[in-house]
Amino acid sequence: MEQRIGSSSQPVEGAGFDPAFIPGITAPVSAKRQDTEPEDAVETEETDSAEDMDAPAAQAEEATEGAEGEESEDEPDGPVFEAADRRARIVADRKGVRLRLDEESCEFRWDEIGAVETEAPRFGKRFTITVHTPDRRWYPIEIEATARARFKEWEEQLDAVLDAYFED
């Protein structure tokens, strides 16, 4: 049996504890972290982030082109589901399911997935896809569609991928 010594709670952040707190802005880097990073790495990260802010659309196009090139070279033809909006992206193919929201991403192989659930809202254009794992965790992602008619198309494409690669 494992036991932990000390507090397992994280420090609380927010306006109630920090009068300078502004939601959406990251906290300043701690002194401990600054000492461990080399100065060159910090400088390159700053220039990269400035370039990223200037061309987010170009990055999305490059990522799409790179993904298409990889699929055509080493993957056989098979069903692929791909949906994206300005913030979120989901790709389901023979490798598994990959989710991305802003700068965060995760990847699930087919043997790591317990279920994939879809939900089309009654009103609005945000299509929700939730990946459930066998250890009772779930990872939802919402994709904003250009039109509600895309929901049916996405459902059919995702069903084709699940039928081909997902084993019950």
Side-chain angles (χ1 to χ4, degrees), residues 10-125:
Q10 299 292 327
V12 179
E13 295 178 0
F17 297 94
D18 182 7
F21 177 76
I22 299 172
I25 298 180
T26 58
V29 178
S30 67
K32 184 186 291 184
R33 184 170 175 214
Q34 287 178 345
D35 294 339
T36 60
E37 292 183 5
E39 292 178 16
D40 295 336
V42 174
E43 290 176 11
T44 58
E45 288 176 9
E46 291 173 2
T47 57
D48 290 344
S49 64
E51 293 171 2
D52 291 343
M53 289 181 183
D54 293 337
Q59 282 185 347
E61 290 177 14
E62 291 174 7
T64 304
E65 291 172 3
E68 290 173 359
E70 291 173 5
E71 289 176 10
S72 62
E73 291 177 10
D74 60 333
E75 292 185 20
D77 291 332
V80 175
F81 171 72
E82 190 169 346
D85 65 5
R86 61 185 172 82
R87 292 185 62 206
R89 177 183 191 85
I90 180 171
V91 177
D93 56 13
R94 72 176 189 90
K95 293 180 181 178
V97 178
R98 291 177 296 286
L99 306 176
R100 181 176 179 150
L101 180 63
D102 294 330
E103 299 298 319
E104 301 296 322
S105 62
C106 57
E107 184 173 339
F108 303 96
R109 295 184 320 265
W110 288 112
D111 61 340
E112 297 175 324
I113 297 174
V116 177
E117 176 184 17
T118 61
E119 181 181 351
R122 189 172 197 177
F123 304 106
K125 296 188 282 186

